[in-house]
Amino acid sequence: MAEPMKALGMLETKGLVCMIEGVDAMLKAAREAGAQIKTKSRAESNESVATVKKNGLKVQAATPDVETEWRKLAEGLYPQIRGKIVPADIFDEVVRLLQEYRKGKS
């Protein structure tokens, strides 16, 4: 069983230098936690696919056309999510970052 993540709590400082150091520590901890979550999530996903294959199901990778169709479908749901489920400013920032990430991968 994985170790539970420890909460860092609230950051209270006396002065700008202490605050900057505290923010740096929190960012470092967030990056480390994110890396751990990403690693665990990918391992769980791989285990799930292996289990599906072991039980006789056939796994097929999505073709570029299917992926494009899926993205269009997902993007069609954006108006139902933006500002209703997720605050508009946060939603817009995530979409921007996702587009930036995808440009870097191609």
Side-chain angles (χ1 to χ4, degrees), residues 2-66:
E3 292 255 340
M5 295 177 60
K6 297 176 184 172
L8 295 177
M10 186 167 63
L11 178 65
E12 184 176 336
T13 66
K14 293 183 180 181
L16 181 61
V17 172
C18 292
M19 183 181 73
I20 292 170
E21 289 173 352
V23 169
D24 286 345
M26 287 178 21
L27 286 171
K28 180 182 177 192
R31 285 186 192 103
E32 289 172 0
Q36 290 174 2
I37 291 168
K38 184 177 182 181
T39 298
K40 183 177 179 183
S41 176
R42 287 187 176 167
E44 288 173 349
S45 180
N46 291 338
E47 289 172 19
S48 297
V49 170
T51 300
V52 164
K53 287 179 178 179
K54 182 180 173 184
N55 288 303
L57 294 175
K58 195 171 191 178
V59 177
Q60 296 182 351
T63 65
D65 289 341
V66 168

